[in-house]
Amino acid sequence: MIFVPLPFVVALLLAIVLIRMLRQGDGSFAEKRPFLLLIGLYIAQSVVIGIRWGYDIIDIMPLQSLMATMIAALAWVCFKGLAMEEQPTLSRFWPHLLPTAAIAIFIALYPEPISLAIILIFIAYGIALLWLARRGPDALVASRLDGAVLSYRSLQITGFALIASAVTDIVISFDFTQAGGIHAGAIVALGNVIALLILGTAASIASNGSTMEAASSEPPPPPPATEEDGAVAAALDALMHARELYRDPDLNLSRIARKMNLPARRVSMAVNRIHGMSVSQYVNDLRIRSACEQLVTTDHPVTQVMFDSGFISKSNFNREFARLNGESPTQFRKRRVTRESGGAASNVIFMSP
């Protein structure tokens, strides 16, 4: 019987995720490119792990070490790019090539510190990602607003997964020291391989924000609002209603801030303090209001209503609709039609917090 290492199966699953991302024709290929490259690295690393531990080919270890450091650095670059208002450039991120260069030098001249160096690199980038996540979904100003919460969850998952990978490497090193590495293969199968699958899924979610349900959480109480916060929030309300910006499916916090000629963080703070929610929730509330009105006043299909309101993901649309109305769009329309046919009032019901 042909032996197929588990990492090869993981590589295949990640390849399917990559193909699905490539086939999604939503016009955002340039924004997805870093995440596509990241998932490609995950696939290559999974194959390398399979060759190393499945067939005990030790000569491939240097490549595995180099790719590991590249993955940690590229994960940071991808999510940091979502947190930047200006267009990311390669020149801005060149210092993140240094960890891989350092590992290459260690491989050529002094291999002993390689394991420790990789562990420290993974921990450092994991902590950096979690630090980036401290500001909540609005930190990802370049993420599409209907997927900002999902991208934020992916950021958190990636940070924790990098740290978990470092812990796995520590356990493997301990196994080699205490037991000659007899359990290393099983540890890799249960540790790094699972981590790669989680990381690949998280990268896919972050790049399109449309394939996973996000757990809702109560935000911490915002600081007291100032007069400036009120002015910014009022200007944003006027902009949204006058130009119906919320209908733009590619809208993000960075684009809103540019139209208002304000820093993205200033807009985010004002919305948080005045409305008690993130910008993504604020925009999605407006989108759901529009959807409710269309469901009541038109006979357009629910899918058309979804697109006309600014959503491009059915799962996001249904989740946000249920969050605000406690039922699906189809149920909402049926109930409204039934009430109107019975002579009930026809005002749109919208249960916003």
Side-chain angles (χ1 to χ4, degrees):
M1 176 181 261
I2 298 176
F3 170 65
V4 179
L6 178 60
F8 287 1
V9 178
V10 173
L12 178 60
L13 294 175
L14 290 175
I16 293 173
V17 171
L18 183 63
I19 291 171
R20 287 184 59 189
M21 290 174 63
L22 289 170
R23 294 181 62 182
Q24 288 173 345
D26 56 6
S28 59
F29 180 80
E31 297 175 5
K32 289 183 178 181
R33 190 179 296 122
F35 287 97
L36 293 171
L37 178 58
L38 181 60
I39 294 178
L41 272 177
Y42 290 153
I43 294 171
Q45 181 73 327
S46 191
V47 171
V48 169
I49 290 175
I51 294 173
R52 164 62 183 93
W53 297 102
Y55 301 108
D56 199 25
I57 299 178
I58 300 177
D59 292 342
I60 206 169
M61 284 288 290
L63 179 59
Q64 181 181 339
S65 299
L66 288 171
M67 293 181 65
T69 55
M70 292 172 61
I71 282 173
L74 185 57
W76 162 258
V77 168
C78 287
F79 283 102
K80 182 62 176 177
L82 290 180
M84 296 172 59
E85 295 187 48
E86 67 275 12
Q87 185 69 26
T89 60
L90 290 176
S91 60
R92 186 182 182 93
F93 292 117
W94 72 263
H96 296 281
L97 296 174
L98 296 179
T100 304
I103 295 299
I105 293 173
F106 282 139
I107 291 172
L109 302 178
Y110 187 48
E112 281 76 6
I114 289 177
S115 295
L116 177 59
I118 292 176
I119 290 171
L120 293 176
I121 289 170
F122 267 64
I123 291 176
Y125 276 111
I127 292 174
L129 287 169
L130 294 178
W131 181 254
L132 180 64
R134 76 192 188 281
R135 288 172 45 201
D138 284 347
L140 305 179
V141 298
S143 178
R144 208 177 59 231
L145 286 176
D146 74 327
V149 174
L150 297 178
S151 297
Y152 173 67
R153 300 296 183 218
S154 300
L155 169 60
Q156 292 177 307
I157 290 171
T158 302
F160 283 118
L162 289 180
I163 294 175
S165 294
V167 173
T168 301
D169 288 344
I170 292 174
V171 174
I172 292 172
S173 299
F174 183 79
D175 179 65
F176 271 104
T177 301
Q178 300 296 319
I182 60 174
H183 305 106
I187 295 171
V188 169
L190 295 174
N192 284 340
V193 170
I194 296 175
L196 282 173
L197 186 58
I198 293 173
L199 287 167
T201 305
S204 171
I205 294 168
S207 69
N208 55 52
S210 62
T211 60
M212 170 180 158
E213 293 295 322
S216 61
S217 60
E218 291 295 326
T226 64
E227 291 186 8
E228 184 181 1
D229 292 327
V232 172
L236 177 60
D237 289 340
L239 180 66
M240 283 292 171
H241 288 94
R243 301 178 60 178
E244 295 187 331
L245 291 181
Y246 55 85
R247 294 182 184 273
D248 179 1
D250 294 321
L251 188 66
N252 57 39
L253 176 54
S254 178
R255 190 174 300 180
I256 292 174
R258 286 198 301 270
K259 289 183 180 297
M260 298 182 69
N261 198 28
L262 291 170
R265 183 164 175 76
R266 188 70 199 84
V267 177
S268 172
M269 289 171 55
V271 172
N272 183 249
R273 292 174 179 176
I274 297 297
H275 297 292
M277 61 181 70
S278 68
V279 175
S280 61
Q281 290 174 319
Y282 167 80
V283 171
N284 284 339
D285 280 9
L286 293 176
R287 289 169 171 170
I288 296 302
R289 288 179 185 273
S290 173
C292 287
E293 183 178 354
Q294 292 180 64
L295 287 170
V296 172
T297 60
T298 74
D299 58 357
H300 296 160
V302 173
T303 301
Q304 182 179 341
V305 170
M306 177 189 77
F307 288 129
D308 288 345
S309 301
F311 289 95
I312 63 174
S313 164
K314 187 175 181 180
S315 61
N316 286 347
F317 175 60
N318 288 336
R319 183 184 63 253
E320 289 297 307
F321 199 98
R323 176 176 69 86
L324 295 168
N325 292 291
E327 59 188 341
S328 70
T330 302
Q331 292 170 333
F332 177 88
R333 172 174 268 174
K334 279 184 179 179
R335 181 170 57 81
R336 295 297 299 166
V337 170
T338 301
R339 289 187 61 186
E340 288 183 14
S341 63
S346 60
N347 291 331
V348 175
I349 298 176
F350 183 80
M351 296 163 46
S352 179

